[in-house]
Amino acid sequence: MKKLLLPILFILLIGCEKEEVNPQVDNPEVAVLSELIKTDFGGMEFNAQKANDHFIVEGDILIPGNVNARVHQPGEKPKSAALLNGFWQDNTVYYAIDPFLPNKYRVNDAIEHWEEHTNIKFVERTSERDYVYFTTGNGCASYLGKIGGGQKITLARGCSTGNAIHEIGHAIGLWHEQSRSDRDEYVTVHYDNVIEGYEYNFQNFSDSFMTPNGQNLTDKLDFPSIMMYSAYSFSKNGLPTITKLNGDLYYTQRSGLSPGDIEGVNKIYPEIGEPEYINGKWYTIHGLTVLRFYNQWFYSGRYGMKGVVLINGIWFYR
């Protein structure tokens, strides 16, 4: 699987704030909405679905209506699959869960899956400014990467734990797998089977108005990726819209991260080791000045010199 790092100078939102979900699509991240319009973005006219003040492309990628496209250098080659910026610092995603979200286990199980297989950790938000908010909605939805402030991941009742894993993938910076710049080396898009007017959802980044530059993270397209489109996405006649080059079908899964997903994500978010601290020296860490002594931390405060421990960015007395 190639997951690519993409510099973008505009904010993209991935989402499925779907007004009408078409049951012909077999995963709730990709839906057909009622309103299809032509719009202009960065000087290029394209079709999009309209949802409030945003445009939707690729079935669940929302683009704000008030942003500018990126200007590229001559000869700059666009690539795809993950953001170059918009990452979560220290591999840490702060989050909160809407108390009214049904079946909260979907979020907890998805988070546990990400923490088990990648270097990303999730910490319940206290007062952090930037965080993900899991809430209910008309479909499965997520912003793309860290955009600053509170950002929703919406999970309708029909969204599974696997869908939650997929949307978290978007939130940490992953695009859909079939949007890679080299996808035509691996798959054929059968536009004659695509719903009329929705062909634009199958652009790769070389052809798309988004066209950011990028860097490959893995070697080839990963069919088992949890970020991969279904073979029947946006089908108008029940026939496949994407097949392998030889015409064979492939199967989309929403069970968990594939080995390729894990490899790519861990390149974006490499393991962070604890800095080497010298015993006998003072350090200011997360706003507290502490002494390193016998490989432990001590703080001189209202209770005198006491041992302290740092847990998820918060200091506690031992």
Side-chain angles (χ1 to χ4, degrees), residues 95 97 103-117 122 134 155 160-162 164-165 168 255-257:
Y95 74 95
I97 303 176
N103 305 322
K104 295 181 182 62
Y105 72 86
R106 299 174 294 171
V107 175
N108 296 324
D109 290 351
I111 285 175
E112 182 179 350
H113 182 79
W114 275 97
E115 290 190 324
E116 179 181 355
H117 295 287
F122 294 79
F134 293 92
L155 299 173
S160 65
T161 296
I165 296 171
I168 289 174
S255 299
L257 297 170

Side-chain angles (χ1 to χ4, degrees), residues 294-312:
Y294 284 103
N295 297 322
Q296 295 182 343
W297 295 110
F298 293 85
Y299 171 64
S300 179
R302 59 186 298 186
Y303 304 111
M305 185 69 77
K306 295 286 186 180
V308 291
V309 61
L310 183 65
I311 302 175
N312 296 329

Side-chain angles (χ1 to χ4, degrees), residues 1-5 82 113-114 116-120 172 174 177 180 215-222 224-227 256-271:
M1 177 187 60
K2 286 185 182 177
K3 290 219 173 15
L4 307 173
L5 299 174
H113 182 79
W114 275 97
E116 179 181 355
H117 295 287
T118 72
N119 299 320
I120 298 176
I172 63 128
L174 297 184
E177 180 68 6
R180 305 163 19 153
Q215 176 183 347
N216 297 347
L217 292 182
T218 51
D219 293 333
K220 59 184 179 180
L221 187 145
D222 182 26
S225 170
I226 202 166
M227 308 307 294
L257 297 170
S258 70
D261 290 328
I262 294 168
E263 177 188 353
V265 170
N266 284 339
K267 286 183 178 179
I268 300 171
Y269 293 92
E271 185 175 4

